[in-house]
Amino acid sequence: EVQLVESGGGLVQPGGSLRLSCEASGFTFNMYAMSWVRQAPGKGLEWVSVISGSSDSAYVGDSVKGRFTVSRDNSKKTVYLQMNSLRVEDTAVYYCAKTKYQLMLDAFDVWGQGTMVTVSS
Amino acid sequence: AIQMTQSPSSLSASLGDRVNITCRASQGIRNDLSWYQQRPGKAPKLLIYDASSLQRGVPSRFSGSGSGTDFTLTISSLQPEDFATYYCLEGYSTPRTFGQGTKVEIK
């Protein structure tokens, strides 16, 4: 069964850091780009980042540029989102998602269950 | 960044109704568009990719159409499990952009 399991969410103060993890199973992990998508409480979906299967390309959205970094460890079948200088507006459920094919701009055919990040003093 | 304008933001419909949801891109995106369904408290689920290709396991009452800037998700006969929020997502360039969402409610 293809599965993504996120972890690492929690409560953090403004200006703090968190690292989210997403462990994959059931598919050849290093062949697929992986993305992070977030959803603030009661709001819509926001694309956050993408990383290629080989890690040679990675992008983050404008709202998190310079603060968030995406990386992956193919030996551990895990993708990470390092979040620094967190702001109240980063409060959201963070989902990781697998691309349907191998391109970075493909549709997301598998999603994790999400991990909640709350930034508050 | 490409802007995706999704409409309507919400709609009320009855069981068996035909429902159309549209997304308009701020520039041409070929057929690089996907549609997702999200039920409350759940992760999104892929319905349509490449604008009109039905994801495996998704009922055939869901269909997608369009190319360039204008796209439509159609539910041919609304079922109880279809009451949810629907999003489009462009796949043309980074940063990627979702539509604002359409909440489908029971009339």
Side-chain angles (χ1 to χ4, degrees):
Chain A
E1 179 191 6
V2 178
Q3 195 172 10
L4 300 173
V5 179
E6 301 99 335
S7 60
L11 175 64
V12 62
Q13 292 187 336
S17 297
L18 274 180
R19 189 178 81 158
L20 305 183
S21 300
C22 171
E23 185 171 359
S25 59
F27 63 99
T28 307
F29 182 70
N30 62 7
M31 292 182 66
Y32 293 89
M34 297 293 295
S35 282
W36 288 94
V37 174
R38 71 183 181 182
Q39 186 169 38
K43 302 297 184 181
L45 301 171
E46 179 187 11
W47 177 84
V48 174
S49 69
V50 64
I51 185 167
S52 66
S54 62
S55 300
D56 58 354
S57 296
Y59 300 92
V60 296
D62 292 340
S63 63
V64 304
K65 197 166 292 182
R67 301 187 298 121
F68 290 13
T69 303
V70 61
S71 62
R72 64 193 293 162
D73 184 335
N74 287 342
S75 68
K76 296 182 178 179
K77 298 185 179 182
T78 300
V79 60
Y80 304 99
L81 186 68
Q82 178 66 44
M83 305 186 295
N84 299 330
S85 302
L86 281 161
R87 304 168 179 171
V88 170
E89 55 265 34
D90 295 319
T91 295
V93 175
Y94 285 74
Y95 297 100
C96 68
K98 166 190 168 292
T99 53
K100 179 172 175 67
Y101 299 111
Q102 298 174 23
L103 300 179
M104 295 178 72
L105 296 176
D106 282 335
F108 302 140
D109 65 339
V110 181
W111 296 68
Q113 83 287 354
T115 188
M116 182 71 203
V117 172
T118 302
V119 184
S120 175
S121 55
Chain B
I2 296 171
Q3 306 302 313
M4 300 301 296
T5 303
Q6 187 172 338
S7 62
S9 56
S10 66
L11 65 90
S12 295
S14 301
L15 293 178
D17 281 355
R18 183 182 182 88
V19 168
N20 289 316
I21 299 169
T22 64
C23 262
R24 173 166 288 176
S26 59
Q27 67 179 74
I29 59 170
R30 301 177 303 205
N31 68 336
D32 297 329
L33 186 106
S34 49
W35 290 95
Y36 301 84
Q37 176 193 66
Q38 187 179 33
R39 298 189 177 109
K42 300 296 186 182
K45 172 188 173 183
L46 176 64
L47 301 175
I48 302 287
Y49 62 96
D50 294 345
S52 60
S53 297
L54 189 68
Q55 172 70 357
R56 185 182 305 175
V58 174
S60 58
R61 63 181 179 274
F62 291 93
S63 64
S65 63
S67 67
T69 60
D70 294 315
F71 303 87
T72 301
L73 172 70
T74 299
I75 310 172
S76 60
S77 178
L78 205 61
Q79 299 301 301
E81 59 268 31
D82 301 337
F83 292 96
T85 301
Y86 295 83
Y87 296 92
C88 62
L89 170 66
E90 60 83 15
Y92 187 77
S93 64
T94 56
R96 300 186 70 176
T97 309
F98 285 92
Q100 301 94 326
T102 297
K103 186 173 184 179
V104 177
E105 299 175 305
I106 301 172
K107 181 183 285 183

